[in-house]
Amino acid sequence: MSLEVNGKTIELDDNGNLTDPALWDEDVAKALAATDNLELTQEHFDVLNYLRSEYFDNNGEQPMERMINKGMSKIWGKKVSSKDLYQLFPGAPSKQGNRIAGLPYVARKGGY
């Protein structure tokens, strides 16, 4: 599978995740989100950037949802619940969020 973004072909795996996370940028994120009928806001990008920084700063580890809640609570300065994140990413922040953030597919359940 592939995705056309700004005249470039971006390769995707069978789950719709980028095969090369280095090719990610905001335009790629918007194109990936559009496949899910999502329009990205600044809150979406806050989560996406958090997911990417956690991945690249922690040897490829992707946080589960509880850690995403805690991380976003620190960033936004308020308590963030799973419900808040599922409103942004109805397909699960740790699955759909990681995919739109250009990160590899994770085959875990994702919860706590």
Side-chain angles (χ1 to χ4, degrees), residues 29-65:
K30 289 175 185 175
L32 289 167
T35 65
D36 294 341
N37 296 316
L38 286 179
E39 187 171 326
L40 299 179
T41 65
Q42 184 57 50
E43 284 185 329
H44 287 96
F45 279 108
D46 290 346
V47 175
L48 298 176
N49 288 321
Y50 168 78
L51 292 170
R52 288 184 62 81
S53 69
E54 285 296 305
Y55 177 78
F56 289 110
D57 294 344
N58 294 304
N59 298 318
E61 291 294 319
Q62 296 179 6
M64 292 197 291
E65 290 176 20

Side-chain angles (χ1 to χ4, degrees), residues 67-81:
M67 296 310 297
I68 299 170
N69 291 354
K70 288 181 178 184
M72 296 316 301
S73 291
K74 287 180 185 175
I75 291 169
W76 290 336
K78 64 179 183 177
K79 183 164 176 58
V80 176
S81 69

Side-chain angles (χ1 to χ4, degrees), residues 1 12-18 32 95 99 103-107:
M1 293 190 320
L12 306 175
D13 66 15
D14 292 339
N15 297 301
N17 294 63
L18 296 185
L32 289 167
K95 296 281 189 187
R99 186 175 57 74
L103 302 175
Y105 178 75
V106 178

